Amino acid sequence: MKRLVLLLSCAGLLACGAAAAQNAPQVITAAGAYHPLPHAAYQPDRNATYKVVFALTKAADKPDQVNPGIERVARTVNLYVAAGVPLGHLKFVAVAYGPATGLVLDDEHYQAQFGTSNPNLAVISQLRKAGVDVAVCGQAMAEHHYPNDWAAKDVTLSLSALTTITELEQQGYALMPL
């Protein structure tokens, strides 16, 4: 009888843990919606540390839409947290370059370039608060004729996407092209 009670107690604790992870609030609320699938295969290991560099290379279809790459970074954060991985175990860097470069502009310069407020700024701010480093390629800024100080305050200016990605891969980061 004691074994049965112990087994039922353990099962209840496991179910509560899975339910808590499934019902975890979205960390990034400005973007990154996901569909909870607590019983799907390939669930993240809650005890592991994940190192990912996201290569953001595409522009949004319309300038008043959140960039699809930054949206996917937000979704990735939300998925890992919902699976029970602590934010401190996520070592994420998102670097924008090429057609995606403009997503990092502060609102004043984004409006001047695209005629609308920058819809990416709230996502970038929330990602930064969650520990994600959102960076922009300094070479792409120059090629687009954007002075470096046009980048939003929450954005890191990197030497280049080429050096950022290869440097982080040398440190064990997985490359996620978006």
Side-chain angles (χ1 to χ4, degrees), residues 49 85-91 130:
T49 296
V85 178
L87 276 176
H89 289 209
L90 303 179
K91 309 299 180 197

Side-chain angles (χ1 to χ4, degrees), residues 59-154:
D61 289 337
K62 297 178 182 173
D64 63 343
Q65 297 175 340
V66 171
N67 178 280
I70 203 83
E71 193 281 330
R72 300 276 306 272
V73 174
R75 178 177 292 164
T76 304
V77 170
N78 288 335
L79 284 166
Y80 275 92
V81 171
V85 178
L87 276 176
H89 289 209
L90 303 179
K91 309 299 180 197
F92 289 175
V93 177
V95 60
Y97 60 103
T101 304
L103 79 90
V104 305
L105 296 177
D106 63 28
D107 204 47
E108 174 188 352
H109 295 100
Y110 193 92
Q111 283 189 32
Q113 291 292 307
F114 302 108
T116 188
S117 296
N118 188 341
N120 303 292
L121 295 179
V123 183
I124 292 169
S125 176
Q126 289 180 4
L127 286 169
R128 177 65 75 179
K129 287 177 184 163
V132 177
D133 184 14
V134 178
V136 64
C137 171
Q139 304 306 303
M141 288 288 285
E143 289 168 5
H144 283 86
H145 306 288
Y146 300 153
N148 294 337
D149 62 353
W150 286 14
K153 64 178 174 53
D154 290 328

